[in-house]
Amino acid sequence: MINIILLGPPGAGKGTQARHLVETRGMVQLSTGDMLREAQANGSEMGKKVAAVIERGELVTDEIVIGLIREKIAEGAKGGFIFDGFPRTLGQADALGDLLAETGLKLDAVIEMAVDDAALVARITGRSTCGGCGEVYHDQTKPWAADGKCTNCGSTDIKRRADDNEDSLKTRLMEYYKKTSPLLGYYYAKGDLKSVDGLVAIDEVKAAIGKVLG
Ligand code: AMP
């Protein structure tokens, strides 16, 4: 059982790689972004509270996301956890360290997915996902089939995120550089950081991560 963090700016491909690790290694993906969108879709009080913050591209409070992660860690995961989009601040990183220690778990690797900013804008502004199975599509590089059906599950439910536009992306990138990128130094100093090139083809990134995880 291994527990890892996927670290990188929005559009680096964290979600795509996490889905692959779930399928091939039986790991459990913990995406705080997905959890927050789910809370919004369910119309919960918390979901309503964070909707505008997310749409602007700002980070929600540490307290909220740490609470979400605490619940999930308590449920356990046989194949280990993939932390995707969490932690995003030094406070969250410290809290994750404490939560794992309390549960007797350890972090095996923090994988940085390195990409350049110009690529992120193109990746994010053309992005959509299948509402049925979560398959990720892109207007230019992986468009939907002409019949509008997902090649993976057949659903016709095309979802685009409200924060996948150029304005919100600017804020999301700024939040990343100000608050999340210091985690690279934090985990480097702990000896946990591994870096893979996130700009190469999806299968090559999969192989690079596979090599890191052994
Ligand atoms: P993501 O799906 O990871 O791109 O997250 C979408 C949005 O949810 C982010 O832009 C933030 O507004 C919020 N969010 C997700 N994860 C976190 C986190 N760990 N800390 C703070 N805000 C988060």
Side-chain angles (χ1 to χ4, degrees):
M1 165 184 168
I2 46 173
N3 300 299
I4 64 166
I5 295 173
L6 294 180
L7 193 60
K14 301 184 296 291
T16 299
Q17 295 299 327
R19 280 169 56 77
H20 177 68
L21 292 169
V22 168
E23 280 163 20
T24 54
R25 293 179 183 249
M27 297 175 78
V28 170
Q29 176 187 11
L30 297 187
S31 157
T32 40
D34 284 349
M35 293 175 209
L36 292 166
R37 281 184 289 277
E38 211 177 289
Q40 271 180 270
N42 294 340
S44 75
E45 277 312 307
M46 187 270 276
K48 285 183 200 152
K49 221 169 87 184
V50 298
V53 177
I54 293 177
E55 185 150 357
R56 283 199 300 273
E58 293 163 11
L59 295 187
V60 308
T61 63
D62 283 357
E63 198 189 349
I64 288 178
V65 287
I66 291 167
L68 290 170
I69 288 287
R70 180 181 289 120
E71 277 175 32
K72 296 288 181 183
I73 288 182
E75 289 171 14
K78 265 206 193 115
F81 291 111
I82 307 158
F83 297 97
D84 162 11
F86 179 93
R88 264 176 155 98
T89 64
L90 291 167
Q92 291 176 25
D94 281 338
L96 177 61
D98 292 345
L99 282 174
L100 290 174
E102 280 166 24
T103 329
L105 298 173
K106 71 174 178 51
L107 199 56
D108 294 280
V110 177
I111 302 179
E112 175 197 10
M113 301 187 58
V115 283
D116 68 51
D117 295 349
L120 298 178
V121 180
R123 281 189 183 186
I124 287 207
T125 48
R127 183 161 78 169
S128 61
T129 52
C130 170
C133 69
E135 185 77 3
V136 182
Y137 289 88
H138 190 281
D139 296 344
Q140 271 79 47
T141 54
K142 190 182 168 190
W144 284 74
D147 63 2
K149 284 190 182 156
C150 174
T151 46
N152 191 43
C153 75
S155 165
T156 53
D157 183 13
I158 302 177
K159 284 209 168 356
R160 286 186 195 269
R161 283 169 48 169
D163 60 346
D164 274 354
N165 60 72
E166 247 180 290
D167 270 353
S168 304
L169 176 60
K170 266 189 205 149
T171 308
R172 287 160 71 194
L173 268 182
M174 193 55 86
E175 292 282 73
Y176 177 78
Y177 286 113
K178 282 202 299 205
K179 298 173 185 164
T180 309
S181 66
L183 299 187
L184 294 170
Y186 176 98
Y187 286 116
Y188 176 79
K190 282 182 183 281
D192 293 331
L193 190 72
K194 303 278 187 297
S195 195
V196 301
D197 182 355
L199 276 178
V200 295
I202 290 175
D203 283 344
E204 287 177 54
V205 182
K206 284 179 187 169
I209 291 177
K211 219 165 149 189
V212 167
L213 300 182

